[in-house]
Amino acid sequence: MTDPRSLAGRLADALSAIDGLRPATSVAAEISWLSTDPAGGSIDLTSESVEIRLVALRLPLPPLLSAAETRVRELLEGTEWADARLRLVVTDIDGAAFAD
């Protein structure tokens, strides 16, 4: 059985490595005195689905989301979430993305 917290962290790291995306984080989690992983908080794993909230740092969105989907599917391979429904949610677009 795959540890969900470990998987969420690996997913967040992989998505952060995609130029133009980052996991959406809660400001409250980042300043909390509790020991948390703000990036991991952007990922929900249930038995049937994987939902990841993202911030786009550049446009256009389709190639970014395609790269994210490919990377996530690679990481889910061999886990109990390999066949889960994947939902990528862009919660925000960085203002710099509109500068071009």
Side-chain angles (χ1 to χ4, degrees), residues 34-98:
L34 293 171
S35 174
T36 61
D37 175 10
S42 64
I43 299 167
D44 291 329
L45 299 167
T46 69
S47 60
E48 299 160 356
S49 69
V50 175
E51 180 174 305
I52 303 173
R53 291 168 295 285
L54 301 162
V55 174
L57 306 175
R58 64 180 176 83
L59 297 171
L61 289 176
L64 295 174
L65 296 176
S66 179
E69 179 180 8
T70 298
R71 188 65 186 122
V72 168
R73 286 287 175 205
E74 289 171 358
L75 288 170
L76 294 177
E77 202 170 293
T79 72
E80 51 268 42
W81 294 280
D83 296 321
R85 180 175 45 94
L86 176 59
R87 184 168 183 228
L88 301 173
V89 181
V90 177
T91 62
D92 199 5
I93 300 175
D94 189 286
F98 299 103

